[in-house]
Amino acid sequence: MQQRSRTTFCLLAAAVAVAMAASPIMAGQRAPLRAVTQPASTAQDGRVDRLIVRYRSGTALRADKTRAAAAVRNAATRSGLAATDARYVRSTATGADVVKLSRPLDRASAAALMRTLRADPNIAHVEPDVRMTHTGAAFAKAPVAARAGATPNLTPNDPYFGQYQWHLHHATGGIRAPSAWNSATGEGVVVAVIDTGIVQHDDIDANVLEGYDFITDAFVSRRETDERVPGAHDYGDWNDDPNQCPVSPSSFHGTHTAGTVAELTNNGLGMAGVAHNAKVLPVRVLGRCGGYMSDIADALVWASGGEVAGVPANENPAEVINMSLGGSGACTAGSEFQTAVDAAVANGSTVVVAAGNYNTNLSQFTPASCAGVIAVGATRITGGKSSFSNYGALVDLSAPGGDSVDGNPNGYVWQNINDSETSPENGQQNYGGMAGTSMSAPHVAGVVAMLQSVAQAPLTPAEVETLLKNTARAFPVNIPSGTPMGVGILDAEAALAGLVPPCQGPDCEPDATPIVNRSPVPGLMGNAGDEQLYSLDVPAGATNLNFLTYGGSGDVTVVVSFNKEPTATEYDLRSSRPGNNETIRIAAPKIGTYYIKLIGVAKFANVTLEARHN
């Protein structure tokens, strides 16, 4: 693997996709989007240039920052590390001190220094202040013009929703968001997204609060000073100097994850978000070549409503915090991350963390292995494990993260993005796809926001975790015992049903997955006797409506009814040819909702459903 000059964590997007078009797209139009897989970033070589040191209560070192740095210098001398100086940088929100070394130490030298420090009776804990970096970049071309919004309904009019956002509505791999929107949309809830910050985008701006930039290194932040500042503008995390870290374009990862949480929905523009009436609090901790753990831990405390020296109080404490980042190393008691998580949970914030993208046990990754977080693995459109996803007993549940083997668009999670490879000012707003556990976590954070928005009293983080795990749906494919991925796949509808009783009576709409005109729904599968229900909203003036199924193996029957759910014996129209090539034609369709049900005559797989009208 390529060696780097610093120990790092990795922002958890394994692959990306590109939105491309020859000319600008106006609202309601579609551009061809194509996927481009990017290699995951390599691990760094373990070199350390900063330490986080926590002193025992009551010691002189804890109160005297000059003596604290001197203690590290003395430990370096005792460890045989000549010419290694240290200076005090700042104190963290958890009560530890950040100390910068005068030169980076290799893995062995850093370990020797920390052993010496741990032997000091004044010191309670010491660890490297490691840095995080991104693992991919997103690109998009063709800005999209905004349109006035409308009241959300079961089938949003966002033009990319049906074809691209399988992760929200697909019967097998999605989270069943549309039916959950009947109960909640996250209104009144704040979701903190601790990430690369955010850039302007018409499809989310109205849901974004002013956040804060917690990066304390001007090289990383691309700002003029090391000071923290209001706002969370993403200046871009590209790097063109291989001596600093691997060369890479900007990711605008925070904008993408924020879109999954709360992209505007049913506004005739782009795509949809899970909790599209929630507010996003962006908190910037990652920039060029990453970001330090100590900054991320402070951001976590602040986002939950805790105090951080030198930073104004957070006027919008977050009920849920999304962290699509992490790196190697177990999260242990007394560590900076665990202490920060404990503080956030004590403040009432549910902390959602991506499991990681190394296809290994997450027990050795932090903060996913911290006690008190909801650790989220990644699944594909098939409902199976994404090839890159970490696994293990500490994974709580899984959510859509994509996998490039499933092709475009089904291999990616799609949201808003900026198309620049450098500064956002050099690009334009658009939409793109990424794959990773980074994408899985904000699906969970969005559902938590939906739950909190309708709960009679705020749910505790423990209550939220229990509810999500109790209502997760079973994996539709076998998950090997050696790679456990939690209790199942996030189910937004079932989770909301745990708080809001399901609709009953003649005025209730059937529980159907919405489809969009001329947007095929591929990959449908089931057993003999299985039923899958879909809905299509037909506008005024539509003609020549056709419902089609085709491809794959097995045998299905299709039944259709207007404004009600069809059954195997009660329906308006039916097609039951041998195999999967079924067609139902309606020359003059009515204005309203048609319900389409696939019934398995025999086991079927890889069947495509499509509705077409003029």
Side-chain angles (χ1 to χ4, degrees), residues 6 19 86 97 137 172 191 198 308 347 418 460 494 511 573:
R6 297 178 177 89
D97 289 336
T172 304
V191 182
I198 199 165
V308 177
N347 289 335
N418 185 284
T460 67
D511 180 13
L573 298 164

Side-chain angles (χ1 to χ4, degrees), residues 339-359:
T339 306
V341 168
D342 291 346
V345 170
N347 289 335
S349 298
T350 298
V351 181
V352 181
V353 182
N357 295 342
Y358 291 91
N359 189 30

Side-chain angles (χ1 to χ4, degrees), residues 21 30 40 47 88 197 203 235 240 300 328 398 419 430 494 519 540 579:
R30 295 183 178 87
R47 299 183 72 186
Y88 168 80
D203 211 5
Y235 290 84
D240 51 15
L300 178 58
S328 60
S398 291
D419 68 2
N430 208 320
S519 294

Side-chain angles (χ1 to χ4, degrees), residues 521-539:
V521 181
L524 304 182
M525 62 182 69
N527 296 313
D530 284 357
E531 298 182 350
Q532 298 178 11
L533 183 64
Y534 300 87
S535 64
L536 176 75
D537 287 343
V538 178

Side-chain angles (χ1 to χ4, degrees), residues 9-13 132 191-195 253 257 261 286 296-297 300 319-331 337-338 340-342 344-345 349-357 362-379 389-392 394-401 436-446 448 461 464-465 468 485-486 490:
F9 283 62
C10 291
L11 182 148
L12 304 175
M132 301 184 175
V191 182
V193 176
I194 298 178
D195 213 299
H253 183 273
T257 55
V261 172
L286 302 174
I296 298 166
L300 178 58
E319 288 91 334
V320 55
I321 299 171
N322 187 82
M323 299 179 71
S324 289
L325 44 79
S328 60
C331 185
F337 264 143
Q338 185 62 67
V341 168
D342 291 346
V345 170
S349 298
T350 298
V351 181
V352 181
V353 182
N357 295 342
L362 75 72
S363 61
Q364 294 302 310
F365 285 79
T366 188
S369 62
C370 291
V373 308
I374 298 177
V376 186
T379 48
S389 180
N390 284 355
Y391 53 82
L394 294 180
V395 176
D396 293 300
L397 77 165
S398 291
T437 55
S438 272
M439 286 61 256
S440 308
H443 284 85
V444 175
V448 176
V464 168
E465 180 177 342
L468 291 179
M485 294 287 290
L490 174 72

